[in-house]
Amino acid sequence: MTVDASWYLMLAAALFTIGAIGLLIRRNVLVMFMCIELMLNAANLTFVTFARQLNDIGGQSLVFFVLVVAAAEVVVGLGIIVSIFRRRSDVTADDLNLLKG
């Protein structure tokens, strides 16, 4: 049984839409952070699907770069979130202006 590439693309579109809606609606920074990760994973699924369809290794190698960017985002983003959590009990996107020098 083979799954058509259009199913993977529809799944990626659904994941990206959920991530984008979550990013726009939610105010909690940690949830917004997870929504960005969901959008990056949807992009990865799209890259792998097209790489498989076109028999090209370029899409799969691009996924590794996206994973590196996601890992760097986690390191920097969680550092910022933890620093805000130490000062305040709740973290919203409006609290990020506290980090201005």
Side-chain angles (χ1 to χ4, degrees):
M1 181 176 139
T2 59
V3 179
D4 192 28
S6 63
W7 289 100
Y8 291 115
L9 294 176
M10 286 191 299
L11 176 64
L15 289 175
F16 192 87
T17 303
I18 291 170
I21 290 173
L23 185 66
L24 293 174
I25 290 176
R26 300 300 299 256
R27 301 302 303 163
N28 188 342
V29 177
L30 196 57
V31 174
M32 293 172 71
F33 195 69
M34 289 189 295
C35 289
I36 291 172
E37 293 294 326
L38 190 63
M39 291 168 59
L40 287 174
N41 284 328
N44 284 340
L45 183 60
T46 303
F47 287 140
V48 169
T49 301
F50 281 122
R52 185 172 175 224
Q53 282 294 105
L54 301 173
N55 287 331
D56 186 21
I57 195 74
Q60 294 175 0
S61 61
L62 191 58
V63 168
F64 287 115
F65 290 113
V66 172
L67 289 176
V68 168
V69 169
E73 175 199 354
V74 166
V75 169
V76 173
L78 284 180
I80 292 171
I81 291 171
V82 167
S83 69
I84 293 174
F85 264 119
R86 286 185 180 173
R87 300 183 86 199
R88 300 178 58 121
S89 61
D90 58 339
V91 177
T92 62
D94 298 329
D95 296 334
L96 292 179
N97 62 1
L98 297 174
L99 297 176
K100 290 182 181 176

